[in-house]
Amino acid sequence: MTTAALSPSPLADLDTAALREAHSSFARAYDELKAAGLSLDITRGKPSADQLDLSNDLLHLPDGAYRDAAGTDLRNYGGPNGLTELREIFSGALRVPVAQLLALGNASLTVMHDTIAQALIHGVPGGDLPWANQSISFLAPVPGYDRHFTILERFGIRMIPVPMNDDGPDIEAVASLLAADDSIKGMWCVPVYSNPTGAVYSEKVVRALVSLDAAPDFRLFWDNAYAVHHLTDDRPEPIDVLTLAAEAGNPDRPLIFASTSKVTFPGSGVAFFGASPANIAWFQHNSAAQSIGPDKLNQLRHALFLKDADGLTAHMEKHRAILEPKFAAVDEVFRERLSPWGAGSWNAPKGGYFVSLDVADGSAKRAVQLAKEAGIAVTPAGSTFPYGEDPRDANIRIAPTFPSLDELTAALGGLCTAILLAEAETLLADRD
Amino acid sequence: MTTAALSPSPLADLDTAALREAHSSFARAYDELKAAGLSLDITRGKPSADQLDLSNDLLHLPDGAYRDAAGTDLRNYGGPNGLTELREIFSGALRVPVAQLLALGNASLTVMHDTIAQALIHGVPGGDLPWANQSISFLAPVPGYDRHFTILERFGIRMIPVPMNDDGPDIEAVASLLAADDSIKGMWCVPVYSNPTGAVYSEKVVRALVSLDAAPDFRLFWDNAYAVHHLTDDRPEPIDVLTLAAEAGNPDRPLIFASTSKVTFPGSGVAFFGASPANIAWFQHNSAAQSIGPDKLNQLRHALFLKDADGLTAHMEKHRAILEPKFAAVDEVFRERLSPWGAGSWNAPKGGYFVSLDVADGSAKRAVQLAKEAGIAVTPAGSTFPYGEDPRDANIRIAPTFPSLDELTAALGGLCTAILLAEAETLLADRD
């Protein structure tokens, strides 16, 4: 590594001459990187082929079987609530009673999208009007998940950013926004191993979210995407948000979404929807016009494969064995390459699919652009913010799961080269 | 049969004394029917277990395979257009070029529902405004499909009934309604073996539907649910509605829906959406916010099972072998039991899933009620009309596919007993 010749110190502390020297060294390293002609991709939170192989038994299941425990023929129409046996497997991890947990189609994104579409067209229990008949907005903890933001952007729903802390969204900010603005009808929440910061909502934060004064048709869009996706033995106790909300007198506030997308096969999994009885009845009424029932054979396939809650836990351990070294590599490469220059700050998540990296303000877009030009595709800077606009231009989402460990390490090394050059450029420009 | 003692003649021609005698005889037959304590169900157009067995190979497919012809790993996210190989199998039967035919989730009902939801929220190409921002209406050929009507009713879209003829909807009625009312934005069409009359739209009717003056954002919701569901060798040549529409200068008018629900497994099939390039781009843009791709493994499962267009045809012949005797039984029982009394008129469809039966005006609800009380569940009278209101109270939809031939014959016999009693009651009441 050509930068090794310099004795590294935090870039911001260097005098301008030393900064120029560092910049030249980073630029040379970057030229070498480009010359290497890499083609690597760490853009999306996709499981790797190794992880998908863990579920290959699904490819011949249900192996002739087609009845549920009650004897119903699952090949035919019907069964809008989904297969009871599968709902039982996920009920504990999601802390939703089986009767209030529906097993649906192949994507929780679809369920979230459709829930908002129904709220726009029909309104939700407790609300006077369809959301489309009002000028409404959502709270969006940032950094957050770009697909959440895209749904709202397409529907023309205004997003109000809220800062994320290590224990969840900043509750003081949430409280003051909700108190001041009755148009706020929803809030995105990824309560466990939040995308991308890895934050786990504390019980205190959850209690506040279900208790704060808000519009009667305000909903928490509780995307529990990573409930069982642990990377360490230090695991958060699942929080029963439905019970906490009921205790707070707001039983209809949480709408819970989850899926097996990152448990089995992302394209061919099963999505779940959990909520209060009133919300479930609302959802069932709406979806009765939309569907005669989900793919129950795929649900049977999953129930036969996972077997029970213990089977799910054991299966997720196999994912962890594949993922843990990749997340360790992120931390290692960043420590080795960025820390000596005082560049970057990042988290070491205990689960989920992402690492959130903050670089020097004003450097993220440039760093991602430099990486791209060197053949390393990274999630576009800004994508973790509504409308793709990171006001500090600092956040980069790292998705380490899909590439092999070697490819990942190469991609991260290249990204670090790009980041150091971008930070040095930014600092020099500030001194002009 | 106790009615055999009477010499039957058309009920309407009987003098009042003879009508009373017939009524008494029908009432005795009905009492015997009730005493038999039947429990039979001919309410819904569901395939029978025998038909489902035809596709049991799906229950162990794709048998370890998980790549498409291009080598893509189908287990992961992506591929929003669906599996090319499966789209190729259905392209000919549906007369939609592969590039304009998307393979999606497990239900065309969902695609139809979601398309209307998107049109409400966003509008469609060629329209100035989202449909939700206007007071809009749909043309609904009657008798028609209750689930079509339910979608519109839930969305508060006004339905305007249009009479059905043997060659499709009454074009003069359609033309004068469209000319008089710019609020008409859609029309339900089941062009082949229409639900429930079995009508097949003629090319002349289709040419008219794509040519008539209408609002620029008027759409034909072309639910080609029974394109390959033949019951005889006399098969309609598939009509290329997209080309006819383009020739007429209205390329964006048809939106084509289809599925394998009644080809393989109703709960676990694959839905298709076909349309002009502009509509496909509109659909793709909308669904990009809703889904990261359909269940491509289920599509692979179907492609491996059906193999090619010939395989599809051969598979549908097996369905025909099971269904033909059931439809013959409907015709036979009605001829034997209803014709002698001049009761009922019905069609003998050449495909599809239903027989449409008209009884004497004012008798349908009563007949269905009597059947129900005798343990025979029939689709509620009126359900083939918007809002469940058949102005003549005459139409009953017969769904002969699900029960065994014996159960079907028993159910139909009982229904005839109920119909004769209901018709005699109605006629007697008219003479009071």
Side-chain angles (χ1 to χ4, degrees):
Chain A
M1 222 162 289
T2 51
T3 54
L6 282 169
S7 165
S9 24
L11 293 175
D13 299 345
L14 297 180
D15 64 30
T16 303
L19 186 56
R20 276 189 218 285
E21 197 188 345
H23 176 270
S24 301
S25 150
F26 298 155
R28 281 193 303 276
Y30 180 69
D31 288 342
E32 285 174 29
L33 177 70
K34 263 180 106 167
L38 299 179
S39 175
L40 299 166
D41 190 330
I42 53 168
T43 52
R44 300 300 317 177
K46 291 163 69 171
S48 65
D50 282 1
Q51 289 177 270
L52 300 177
D53 286 346
L54 299 175
S55 301
N56 275 352
D57 279 349
L58 287 171
L59 296 171
H60 61 78
L61 286 170
D63 205 10
Y66 57 80
R67 292 192 189 278
D68 66 9
T72 305
D73 188 334
L74 302 173
R75 300 171 301 179
N76 224 322
Y77 289 112
N81 296 346
L83 186 72
T84 306
E85 292 90 313
L86 187 66
R87 293 151 64 201
E88 283 168 351
I89 294 175
F90 282 85
S91 171
L94 297 174
R95 288 289 191 275
V96 181
V98 173
Q100 290 162 244
L101 183 66
L102 310 181
L104 301 165
N106 82 320
S108 56
L109 185 73
T110 304
V111 186
M112 293 184 256
H113 173 279
D114 291 1
T115 302
I116 296 177
Q118 298 285 9
L120 283 167
I121 294 170
H122 300 300
V124 299
D128 292 330
L129 284 173
W131 286 1
N133 297 15
Q134 311 167 60
S135 171
I136 69 160
S137 54
F138 262 54
L139 299 183
V142 290
Y145 178 36
D146 56 351
R147 292 190 190 274
H148 286 167
F149 302 151
T150 300
I151 292 174
L152 299 182
E153 200 174 342
R154 291 290 177 82
F155 286 148
I157 297 172
R158 195 163 44 97
M159 287 174 265
I160 305 169
V162 174
M164 274 293 283
N165 296 327
D166 287 345
D167 62 350
D170 185 310
I171 282 298
E172 281 186 33
V174 172
S176 67
L177 285 162
L178 283 176
D181 187 352
D182 237 16
S183 85
I184 299 170
K185 299 300 183 189
M187 176 174 176
W188 287 117
C189 299
V190 181
V192 179
Y193 308 133
S194 187
N195 175 353
T197 73
V200 176
Y201 288 26
S202 69
E203 189 176 317
K204 189 177 158 199
V205 163
V206 176
R207 281 187 187 275
L209 289 173
V210 299
S211 306
L212 289 170
D213 278 340
D217 53 351
F218 171 71
R219 292 290 182 274
L220 297 167
F221 284 74
W222 205 256
D223 183 3
N224 207 351
Y226 308 108
V228 293
H229 304 62
H230 309 291
L231 290 166
T232 76
D233 288 330
D234 178 16
R235 296 170 184 198
E237 183 65 17
I239 290 180
D240 183 349
V241 66
L242 288 175
T243 296
L244 295 185
E247 285 172 8
N250 296 309
D252 300 335
R253 188 171 289 186
L255 302 175
I256 299 170
F257 307 90
S259 80
T260 69
S261 291
K262 291 173 179 102
V263 174
T264 58
F265 297 147
S268 303
V270 178
F272 298 93
F273 176 71
S276 69
N279 283 326
I280 290 291
W282 171 82
F283 185 94
Q284 287 168 323
H285 178 76
N286 294 331
S287 58
Q290 186 190 23
S291 166
I292 318 179
D295 183 343
K296 302 176 297 297
L297 288 176
N298 197 37
Q299 299 184 358
L300 177 63
R301 193 173 284 125
H302 277 74
L304 291 169
F305 175 66
L306 295 169
K307 293 186 179 71
D308 53 27
D310 288 343
L312 170 62
T313 303
H315 180 71
M316 295 313 294
E317 282 300 304
K318 298 179 190 170
H319 281 289
R320 172 186 169 183
I322 296 171
L323 291 178
E324 211 179 341
K326 294 186 181 181
F327 281 83
V330 177
D331 196 55
E332 210 170 282
V333 173
F334 286 172
R335 268 181 206 277
E336 183 184 315
R337 298 286 316 281
L338 299 180
S339 296
W341 299 98
S345 64
W346 62 94
N347 62 321
K350 293 180 176 169
Y353 261 61
F354 302 102
V355 173
S356 181
L357 169 70
D358 279 329
V359 295
D361 287 9
S363 304
K365 274 195 166 48
R366 175 67 177 155
V368 168
Q369 178 63 25
L370 285 169
K372 189 179 176 185
E373 288 169 14
I376 300 163
V378 179
T379 311
S383 71
T384 52
F385 285 75
Y387 316 107
E389 286 161 19
D390 174 1
R392 287 175 46 207
D393 183 25
N395 190 250
I396 298 174
R397 186 182 82 166
I398 307 295
T401 58
F402 187 69
S404 70
L405 192 54
D406 284 353
E407 286 171 337
L408 174 66
T409 308
L412 291 168
L415 176 62
C416 287
T417 301
I419 288 168
L420 291 173
L421 179 55
E423 289 208 5
E425 283 178 2
T426 306
L427 282 170
L428 280 172
D430 285 350
R431 298 193 187 180
D432 277 349
Chain B
M1 218 163 295
T2 51
T3 53
L6 282 170
S7 165
S9 24
L11 292 176
D13 298 345
L14 297 181
D15 64 28
T16 302
L19 187 57
R20 279 191 212 286
E21 198 187 341
H23 176 269
S24 301
S25 149
F26 298 154
R28 282 194 301 276
Y30 179 70
D31 287 342
E32 285 174 27
L33 176 71
K34 265 180 102 166
L38 299 179
S39 174
L40 299 165
D41 190 329
I42 52 169
T43 51
R44 301 300 317 178
K46 291 164 68 171
S48 64
D50 283 0
Q51 290 177 268
L52 300 177
D53 286 346
L54 299 174
S55 301
N56 275 352
D57 279 349
L58 288 171
L59 297 171
H60 60 78
L61 286 171
D63 205 12
Y66 57 80
R67 292 192 189 277
D68 66 8
T72 305
D73 188 334
L74 302 173
R75 299 171 300 180
N76 224 322
Y77 289 112
N81 296 345
L83 187 72
T84 306
E85 292 89 313
L86 187 67
R87 293 150 65 200
E88 285 169 349
I89 295 175
F90 282 85
S91 171
L94 298 174
R95 289 290 191 278
V96 181
V98 173
Q100 290 161 245
L101 183 65
L102 310 181
L104 302 166
N106 82 321
S108 56
L109 186 74
T110 304
V111 187
M112 293 185 257
H113 172 280
D114 291 0
T115 303
I116 297 176
Q118 298 285 7
L120 284 167
I121 295 170
H122 300 300
V124 300
D128 293 330
L129 283 174
W131 286 1
N133 297 16
Q134 312 166 59
S135 170
I136 69 161
S137 54
F138 263 54
L139 298 183
V142 289
Y145 178 35
D146 56 351
R147 291 191 189 272
H148 285 167
F149 303 151
T150 299
I151 292 174
L152 298 182
E153 200 174 341
R154 291 290 176 82
F155 285 150
I157 298 173
R158 194 163 45 98
M159 287 175 262
I160 306 170
V162 174
M164 275 292 283
N165 296 328
D166 288 345
D167 62 350
D170 185 310
I171 283 298
E172 281 186 32
V174 172
S176 67
L177 285 162
L178 283 176
D181 186 353
D182 238 20
S183 85
I184 299 170
K185 298 300 183 189
M187 176 174 176
W188 287 116
C189 300
V190 182
V192 179
Y193 309 134
S194 187
N195 176 352
T197 73
V200 177
Y201 287 26
S202 68
E203 188 176 318
K204 191 177 156 197
V205 163
V206 176
R207 280 187 188 278
L209 289 172
V210 298
S211 306
L212 290 170
D213 279 340
D217 53 350
F218 172 71
R219 291 290 183 275
L220 297 167
F221 283 76
W222 205 255
D223 183 3
N224 207 352
Y226 308 108
V228 294
H229 304 62
H230 310 292
L231 291 165
T232 77
D233 289 330
D234 179 16
R235 295 169 186 201
E237 182 66 16
I239 291 179
D240 183 348
V241 65
L242 288 176
T243 296
L244 295 184
E247 285 172 8
N250 296 311
D252 300 334
R253 190 170 289 185
L255 302 175
I256 300 170
F257 307 90
S259 81
T260 68
S261 291
K262 290 173 180 103
V263 173
T264 58
F265 296 147
S268 303
V270 178
F272 298 94
F273 176 71
S276 70
N279 283 327
I280 290 290
W282 171 81
F283 185 94
Q284 287 167 324
H285 178 75
N286 294 333
S287 58
Q290 185 190 21
S291 166
I292 317 180
D295 183 343
K296 300 176 299 298
L297 289 176
N298 197 37
Q299 299 185 357
L300 177 63
R301 193 173 285 128
H302 277 74
L304 291 170
F305 175 66
L306 295 170
K307 294 187 177 71
D308 53 27
D310 288 344
L312 170 62
T313 304
H315 181 71
M316 294 313 295
E317 281 301 305
K318 297 179 191 170
H319 280 288
R320 173 186 168 182
I322 295 171
L323 291 178
E324 211 179 342
K326 294 186 181 180
F327 280 83
V330 176
D331 195 55
E332 211 170 281
V333 172
F334 286 172
R335 267 180 208 280
E336 184 185 314
R337 296 285 317 279
L338 299 180
S339 295
W341 300 99
S345 65
W346 62 94
N347 63 322
K350 293 179 174 168
Y353 261 61
F354 301 102
V355 172
S356 179
L357 170 70
D358 278 328
V359 296
D361 287 9
S363 304
K365 273 195 164 47
R366 176 66 177 155
V368 169
Q369 178 63 25
L370 285 169
K372 188 179 176 184
E373 287 169 12
I376 301 163
V378 179
T379 312
S383 71
T384 53
F385 284 75
Y387 314 107
E389 285 162 18
D390 175 1
R392 289 174 46 207
D393 184 25
N395 190 251
I396 297 174
R397 186 181 82 164
I398 307 295
T401 58
F402 186 69
S404 70
L405 192 54
D406 285 352
E407 286 171 335
L408 174 65
T409 309
L412 291 168
L415 176 62
C416 287
T417 300
I419 288 169
L420 291 173
L421 179 56
E423 289 209 5
E425 282 178 2
T426 306
L427 283 168
L428 280 172
D430 285 350
R431 295 190 190 181
D432 276 349

